[in-house]
């Protein structure tokens, strides 16, 4: 499984990479912002995209719309990464079409499994 | 899926290293904002850093960092939302939070059974305060200053109003002034200082007229936070200053919400986050007892429509019949049609109820007022009057809670330690009871100052103190206590007629595994060994 993680913070990307690669055996591609994310998504055709909600300039919600609008990426399931305090947004995001949400701080040991569970749910 | 060895340790270590630089940046940002409150760019950058810590702390093995950072994030968002400039108090709060973050990163956790680097004596348990004493009576002022300095309160002494106001060094945290000064009244000084402080933290204590009720009322109306009669009771002064310290460095209050509706629980959590509360939501009432132990909340909110057993009434009755929770404030959540039942529940021990739809302002006011009072009551009940450490019953309650708390796999058991002053009776005989009291206060202050927030200190008997140490193995604990006792032995205490003397302590150490009685017995035996083999030493139970 190949996952694209889009997050402006390097430490987040690093820990997500470690958690998905070392624990989950997944392949990981990174992007630092919405635009780079859209480009990498087209190039790499990941099986899933893990997308941070809070990013400067082009935030998670805008990036989501961007990815949905492009024919090459519109079918890729997108899972949001967001802090607890904003989980009231969860339902809104799901209605918009997100596959699911991972709350921060996440458990690095279970991130890969949690992601798999979200992706395999109806 | 297998967990690669060292994965979590790697995460922790890398996080720790990266965080140090980040904290430095945050401190610089706070400095910049304190010089220019309209600096929005720095404020937003600071917010991003808090947000970053909040999101990653727990993931990398530092859950408390997430909690602390969340508060910073919430505070700044609230400012930004109101489009308000930060006040000096905001700046101080952030500095305190950043210092908390630093502290959480500073101590190395010693893995169980691993080679132990002795944990550093962390000077963080008593957060620093500053005080200004304004009094013409030199001897009394010096004594008060000495007491305060021992409690990590950096103290300046002056003898007139003019000298106090001329002060460079900024506003003290605590102003202690005689009601009658050579060049004016203490009240005038308080008013002038508050004006100069312009919103910064300042507490004022008036020393003065004995007895007169109306004089005290006047003092409070004129800006004093507390009134102490002369001659000043050392214990009363210290307790008051420590109360101010708690106010300045407020740790977040813990609130437990029992509600089967997760969305409502989450909404309450977000509302109370604004008031600096850490809210935990329990969706399974059957877990109530163990969650209570785990969280040790200062206030509980119970939703009335809990289905099945236990119901709201059951939980209330359970709380009120237990010694430990009898005074815990409880707020109920009810729907309009159940208000009659809610009113009945007040009789069974509820303090108040909130009717849906929950008005956030109402909720915050009810919670905050009760938390403040509960804090004051609990402090009085739980702390030894002379030394300000926990009383024996309060300490034993903490032990019980600790034992009941779920232990993480591979977590080292906490370490129990009894510290006993050597030949204390002869100190009282030779130097007097007042000196003996000062020795006790001094030892307690040293323990409170040098141990960590996660460690617990209690006064067990006349001259015995019990410690519960976390995140350290037996060897590390031994080294730690040995250093502490060496520091204590080096202190020169003052007796009668300019005599000075020093006092040593013996200590026994044992791990607290599953039984307090067992651990206590082992500690007793170890302490006895220490006394028997020459005193002034630390013995680890076999």
């Amino acid at each position: 499984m190949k996952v694209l993680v889009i997050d402006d913070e390097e430490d987040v990307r690093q820990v997500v990479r470690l958690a998905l690669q070392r624990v989950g055996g997944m392949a990981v591609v990174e992007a630092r912002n919405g635009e780079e994310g859209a480009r990498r998504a087209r190039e790499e055709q990941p099986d899933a995209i893990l997308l941070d909600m809070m990013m400067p300039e082009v935030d998670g919600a805008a990036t989501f719309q961007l990815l949905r609008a492009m024919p090459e990426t519109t079918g890729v399931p997108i899972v949001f990464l967001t802090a607890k305090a904003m989980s009231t947004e969860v339902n809104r995001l799901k209605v918009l079409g997100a596959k699911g949400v991972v709350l921060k701080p996440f458990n690095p040991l279970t991130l890969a499994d949690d992601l798999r569970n979200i992706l395999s749910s109806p | 899926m297998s967990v690669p060895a060292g994965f979590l340790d790697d995460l922790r270590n890398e996080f720790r290293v990266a965080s140090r630089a980040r904290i430095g940046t945050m401190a610089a940002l706070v400095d910049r904002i304190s010089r220019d409150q309209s600096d929005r760019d720095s404020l937003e950058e600071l917010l991003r850093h808090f947000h970053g810590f909040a999101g990653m702390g727990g993931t990398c093995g530092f859950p408390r960092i997430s909690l602390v950072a969340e508060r910073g994030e919430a505070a700044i968002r609230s400012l930004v939302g109101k489009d308000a400039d930060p006040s000096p108090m905001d700046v101080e709060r952030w500095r305190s939070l950043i210092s908390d973050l630093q502290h959480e990163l500073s101590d190395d956790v010693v893995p169980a059974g691993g080679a132990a680097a002795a944990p550093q004596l962390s000077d963080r348990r008593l957060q620093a305060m500053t005080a200004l004493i304004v009094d013409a009576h030199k001897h009394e002022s010096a004594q008060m200053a000495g007491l305060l300095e021992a409690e990590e309160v950096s103290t300046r002494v002056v003898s007139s109003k003019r000298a106090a106001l001329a002060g460079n060094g900024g506003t003290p945290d605590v102003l202690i002034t005689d009601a009658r000064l050579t060049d004016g009244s203490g009240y005038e000084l308080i008013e002038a200082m508050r004006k100069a402080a312009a919103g910064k933290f300042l507490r004022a204590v008036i020393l003065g007229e004995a007895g007169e009720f109306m004089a005290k009322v006047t003092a409070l109306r004129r800006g004093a936070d507390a009134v102490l009669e002369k001659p000043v009771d050392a214990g009363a002064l210290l307790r008051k200053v420590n109360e101010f310290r708690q106010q300045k460095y407020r740790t977040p209050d813990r609130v437990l919400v029992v509600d089967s509706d997760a969305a409502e629980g989450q909404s309450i959590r977000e509302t109370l986050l604004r008031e600096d509360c850490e809210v935990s939501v329990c969706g399974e009432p059957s877990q109530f007892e163990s969650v209570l132990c785990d969280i040790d909340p200062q206030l509980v909110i119970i939703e009335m429509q809990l289905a099945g057993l236990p119901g709201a009434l059951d939980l209330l009755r359970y709380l009120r019949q237990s010694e430990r929770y009898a005074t815990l404030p409880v707020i109920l959540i009810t729907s309009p049609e159940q208000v009659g039942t809610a009113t009945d529940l007040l009789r069974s021990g509820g303090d108040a109820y909130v009717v849906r739809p929950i008005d956030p302002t109402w909720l915050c006011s009810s919670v905050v007022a009760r938390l403040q009072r509960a804090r004051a009551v609990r402090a009085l009940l739980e702390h030894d009057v002379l030394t300000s450490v926990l009383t024996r019953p309060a300490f034993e309650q903490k032990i019980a809670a600790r034992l009941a708390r779920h232990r993480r796999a591979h977590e080292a058991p906490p370490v129990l330690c009894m510290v006993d002053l050597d030949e204390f009776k002869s100190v009282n005989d030779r130097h007097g009871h007042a000196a003996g009291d000062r020795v006790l206060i001094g030892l307690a202050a040293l323990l409170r100052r040098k141990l960590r927030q996660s460690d617990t200190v209690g006064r067990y008997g006349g001259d015995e103190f019990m410690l519960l140490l976390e995140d350290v193995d037996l060897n590390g604990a031994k080294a730690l206590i040995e250093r502490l006792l060496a520091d204590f032995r080096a202190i020169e205490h003052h007796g009668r007629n300019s005599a000075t003397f020093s006092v040593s302590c013996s200590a026994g150490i044992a791990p607290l595994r599953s039984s307090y009685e067992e651990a206590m017995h082992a500690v007793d035996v170890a302490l006895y060994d220490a006394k028997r083999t020459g005193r002034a030493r630390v013995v680890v139970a076999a």
Side-chain angles (χ1 to χ4, degrees):
Chain A
M1 163 132 36
K2 188 197 290 189
V3 177
L4 165 64
V5 54
I6 308 177
D7 193 312
D8 61 307
E9 294 181 70
E10 200 195 316
D11 15 14
V12 177
R13 291 197 305 273
Q14 190 181 22
V15 177
V16 169
R17 169 187 286 279
L18 285 176
L20 294 181
Q21 269 180 348
R22 276 173 76 176
V23 184
M26 300 176 174
V28 177
V29 180
E30 298 175 29
R32 285 168 304 184
N33 55 52
E35 281 176 57
E36 191 180 323
R39 187 169 47 85
R40 298 293 271 147
R42 277 200 313 271
E43 288 166 5
E44 298 280 344
Q45 294 290 309
D47 301 296
I49 299 176
L50 195 54
L51 173 58
D52 182 31
M53 267 306 285
M54 284 217 51
M55 295 190 289
E57 285 157 22
V58 186
D59 72 4
T63 308
F64 180 80
Q65 304 295 11
L66 190 60
L67 291 165
R68 274 277 169 277
M70 297 191 318
E72 305 97 319
T73 55
T74 191
V76 182
I78 299 179
V79 176
F80 277 105
L81 196 53
T82 182
K84 277 187 179 149
M86 292 185 255
S87 66
T88 39
E89 291 261 292
V90 170
N91 288 330
R92 182 177 81 90
L93 296 174
K94 283 193 172 160
V95 165
L96 280 179
K99 187 68 176 155
V101 170
V102 169
L103 295 180
K104 288 201 283 195
F106 58 83
N107 183 337
L109 294 180
T110 62
L111 182 66
D113 268 356
D114 292 338
L115 192 57
R116 276 189 242 265
N117 287 337
I118 292 174
L119 294 172
S120 61
S121 66
Chain B
M1 174 192 72
S2 62
V3 180
F7 177 62
L8 290 175
D9 284 332
D10 286 348
L11 276 188
R12 270 186 84 97
N13 291 331
E14 285 179 31
F15 181 79
R16 189 181 272 128
V17 168
S19 298
R20 293 215 169 102
R22 183 173 230 165
I23 284 180
T25 308
M26 289 169 83
L29 286 168
V30 172
D31 285 338
R32 223 177 290 164
I33 296 171
S34 79
R35 286 193 293 272
D36 173 11
Q37 287 85 42
S38 64
D39 183 352
R40 267 290 173 275
D41 288 336
S42 294
L43 188 64
E44 288 188 13
E45 198 185 327
L46 184 63
L47 174 62
R48 277 201 295 281
H49 284 299
F50 272 125
H51 175 76
F53 268 124
M56 288 306 283
T59 295
C60 295
F62 294 88
R64 275 210 56 83
I65 288 204
S66 280
L67 290 172
V68 171
E70 235 173 74
R71 280 154 51 214
E73 190 186 345
I76 299 182
R77 278 197 206 287
S78 160
L79 268 185
V80 170
K82 288 185 281 197
D83 202 21
D85 279 348
S87 69
M89 280 218 63
D90 287 317
V91 170
E92 297 229 359
R93 283 292 333 282
W94 300 334
R95 286 210 170 102
S96 165
L97 288 171
I98 291 172
S99 164
D100 273 350
L101 290 175
Q102 198 154 31
H103 174 71
E104 291 299 327
L105 289 166
S106 69
D107 296 313
D108 288 345
V109 173
V110 178
Q120 302 313 302
L121 284 178
S122 154
D123 281 43
R124 231 311 245 82
R125 197 186 170 87
L126 280 186
Q127 294 104 328
M129 294 263 281
T130 56
L132 175 64
I133 298 178
V134 188
D135 195 320
H137 304 89
K138 294 217 185 316
H139 182 60
E140 285 172 20
S141 310
Q143 270 195 339
M144 279 193 285
L147 276 173
L148 293 177
E149 289 278 354
E151 286 272 318
E152 207 79 2
V153 180
S154 155
T155 308
R156 206 161 64 92
V157 178
V158 299
S159 47
S160 70
K161 187 174 121 198
R162 193 162 47 107
L165 290 172
N168 36 1
T171 319
D173 295 318
V174 183
L175 169 67
I176 300 168
T177 176
D178 200 338
R180 268 179 293 249
L181 297 168
T182 51
D183 57 345
S185 88
Y187 306 115
E188 287 163 13
L189 175 57
I190 293 177
E191 276 166 10
M193 278 217 123
R194 282 214 195 280
K195 232 192 201 158
K200 220 179 142 276
F201 184 91
L202 172 64
R203 295 288 183 267
V205 179
I206 276 274
L207 302 176
E209 20 257 354
E212 282 273 325
F213 173 59
M214 280 314 292
K216 290 179 187 167
V217 171
T218 310
L220 296 170
R221 293 188 111 210
R222 291 195 69 177
D225 292 291
V227 180
L228 286 177
E229 295 176 11
K230 280 193 170 191
V232 175
D233 176 330
L237 177 64
L238 283 180
R239 285 193 298 278
K240 195 43 87 175
V241 168
N242 281 322
E243 193 184 311
F244 295 152
R245 198 195 316 256
Q246 294 272 32
Q247 288 166 6
K248 180 174 184 192
Y249 294 102
R250 264 196 70 201
T251 45
D253 293 302
R254 294 180 301 282
V255 173
L256 173 62
V257 178
V258 185
D259 196 328
S260 39
D261 177 353
E264 188 172 66
Q266 178 64 10
S267 158
I268 293 175
R269 185 168 193 273
E270 282 163 21
T271 306
L272 292 180
L273 197 63
R274 281 184 246 151
E275 300 292 339
D276 223 30
C277 295
E278 275 173 23
V279 177
S280 309
V281 181
C282 169
E284 283 296 315
S286 57
Q287 301 293 318
F288 188 58
E289 186 181 39
S290 74
V291 172
L292 259 185
C293 261
D294 258 355
I295 309 279
D296 190 27
Q298 281 121 336
L299 183 142
V300 176
I301 299 177
I302 303 179
E303 191 269 307
M304 275 183 48
Q305 262 131 322
L306 299 170
L309 283 173
L313 177 59
D314 297 308
L315 296 181
L316 255 181
R317 280 205 186 122
Y318 170 77
L319 287 173
R320 295 305 178 221
Q321 63 80 41
S322 100
E323 267 175 10
R324 172 140 183 65
Y325 304 117
T327 59
L328 188 61
V330 177
I331 295 182
L332 304 161
I333 304 178
T334 180
S335 296
E337 60 275 12
Q338 295 232 306
V339 165
T341 318
T343 313
D344 285 341
L345 286 187
L346 294 185
R347 231 176 241 282
S348 297
D351 287 274
Y353 56 78
V354 190
V355 185
R356 292 191 184 95
I358 300 177
D359 172 7
T361 317
W362 202 107
L363 182 65
C364 288
S365 311
S366 319
V367 166
V368 165
R370 286 188 175 77
L371 279 173
Q372 272 169 11
R373 266 205 301 286
R375 220 176 234 281
V377 168
R378 196 128 147 196
L380 275 176
L381 288 179
E382 291 187 343
H383 292 269
D384 175 56
V385 158
L386 181 69
T387 59
S388 295
V389 298
L390 292 180
T391 58
R392 178 169 167 166
F395 183 85
E396 290 182 342
Q397 261 161 13
K398 287 259 191 279
I399 298 271
R402 182 62 181 84
L403 282 172
R405 215 163 66 211
H406 225 29
R407 204 180 305 154
R408 294 198 307 267
H410 309 305
E411 196 184 51
V415 174
L416 201 60
C417 173
M418 172 105 78
V419 175
D420 186 303
L421 286 159
D422 294 328
E423 293 172 313
F424 187 61
K425 186 172 182 309
S426 77
V427 169
N428 279 329
D429 290 344
R430 239 181 291 158
H431 306 286
H433 281 275
D437 278 355
R438 284 197 298 276
V439 168
L440 288 169
I441 293 174
L443 177 57
L446 184 73
L447 292 172
R448 285 164 64 229
R449 199 163 65 238
K450 295 288 187 176
L451 295 175
R452 290 172 294 179
Q453 293 274 16
S454 46
D455 300 325
T456 314
V457 186
R459 185 174 177 195
Y460 222 63
D463 62 344
E464 290 171 322
F465 291 86
M466 285 292 282
L467 315 177
L468 185 67
L469 307 173
E470 297 279 357
D471 291 332
V472 71
D473 69 2
L474 290 178
N475 288 328
K478 178 167 196 263
L480 178 72
I481 302 294
E482 275 171 350
R483 275 208 306 287
L484 263 170
L485 296 192
D487 284 351
F488 183 67
R489 193 173 193 178
I491 297 178
E492 269 193 356
H493 306 277
H494 296 270
R496 290 190 274 241
N497 306 325
S498 314
T500 59
F501 61 98
S502 67
V503 184
S504 66
C505 302
S506 306
I509 295 184
L512 176 69
R513 292 193 206 282
S514 50
S515 156
Y516 181 47
E517 285 75 26
E518 249 179 61
M520 273 303 291
H521 179 71
V523 159
D524 267 338
V525 170
L527 178 62
Y528 182 70
D529 265 349
K531 297 277 192 187
R532 197 174 43 90
T533 56
R535 299 195 172 87
R537 66 196 54 205
V538 180
V539 170
V540 178

